[in-house]
Amino acid sequence: VRGCAPDGSVRFWNSASERLFGYSASEAINCCLPRRSESGYTLSNEYELLRKDGTPVVVFGVSVAISTPGVGLEVYTLEVDLSPLKEAEKERIQLLQLLLQAQKLEALGQLTGGIAHDFNNVLATILGNIELARQEITPGLLDDMQLSAERAQDLVQQMLIYSRPSRSTPKA
């Protein structure tokens, strides 16, 4: 809690304000608390102030104006440090981004597995027909075709290895 004159100079500064902002009461009284230029004053709002060491602190402040005879108008503000909440929100966003990345990789693995199975079916047909053709044609003519098909089969096996760590069940 802090109390300020209409010009923003501090008239009241409690121990929680000392801990939050780093200024002792004797340093804060009759001074204006530095704030980020882009955050404005409102009656009830979230804004940034600066600690003694210059680091910003995000607070939620609720203010009330009190006019006391002999003292004049003062604005008392209850400020709550939102820094832990802001850090938790940043961490939550980072975790969500990691989750989305993991889901993308899982989807890619499922897609790779589906393509690999389809490709493997095509290759099985090609290899089967090559075997049938060998029985009727000179074997040397089909060796290159078989080698290419077997290389493609190796590629399919690599794709299947990549897709297997996924624990989800693929659906048609």
Side-chain angles (χ1 to χ4, degrees), residues 26-40:
S26 61
E27 291 173 309
I29 299 294
N30 295 322
C31 295
C32 291
L33 190 60
R35 58 188 302 117
R36 299 287 290 250
S37 59
E38 65 270 5
S39 61

Side-chain angles (χ1 to χ4, degrees), residues 148-170:
S148 294
E150 288 171 349
R151 284 184 185 157
Q153 216 172 21
D154 290 341
L155 179 62
V156 167
Q157 292 305 313
Q158 290 176 15
M159 287 190 287
L160 287 172
I161 289 170
Y162 178 77
S163 69
R164 285 195 180 122
S166 174
R167 293 186 179 144
S168 62
T169 306

Side-chain angles (χ1 to χ4, degrees), residues 54-96:
T55 59
V57 58
V58 179
V59 296
F60 182 83
V62 179
S63 300
V64 61
I66 299 174
S67 182
T68 308
V71 176
L73 182 67
E74 291 182 310
V75 178
Y76 282 86
T77 305
L78 171 65
E79 291 166 329
V80 178
D81 182 6
L82 296 180
S83 300
L85 184 64
K86 294 293 183 180
E87 285 300 315
E89 181 65 14
K90 277 185 193 175
E91 184 177 329
R92 186 184 73 81
I93 289 170
Q94 289 173 342
L95 289 173
L96 280 174

Side-chain angles (χ1 to χ4, degrees), residues 97-160:
Q97 289 172 340
L98 288 173
L99 175 62
L100 287 173
Q101 184 66 20
Q103 288 173 339
K104 286 178 186 178
L105 288 174
E106 181 180 357
L108 181 61
Q110 286 183 352
L111 178 64
T112 303
I115 292 170
H117 285 292
D118 290 345
F119 194 51
N120 203 25
N121 291 339
V122 172
L123 289 175
T125 303
I126 292 170
L127 290 171
N129 286 331
I130 289 172
E131 273 306 309
L132 290 174
R134 275 190 186 210
Q135 295 171 7
E136 299 174 16
I137 301 175
T138 308
L141 298 174
L142 299 173
D143 286 342
D144 288 342
M145 262 174 72
Q146 184 165 359
L147 183 62
S148 294
E150 288 171 349
R151 284 184 185 157
Q153 216 172 21
D154 290 341
L155 179 62
V156 167
Q157 292 305 313
Q158 290 176 15
M159 287 190 287
L160 287 172

Side-chain angles (χ1 to χ4, degrees), residues 3-11 73-75:
C4 295
D7 67 356
S9 62
V10 176
R11 291 188 180 166
L73 182 67
E74 291 182 310
V75 178

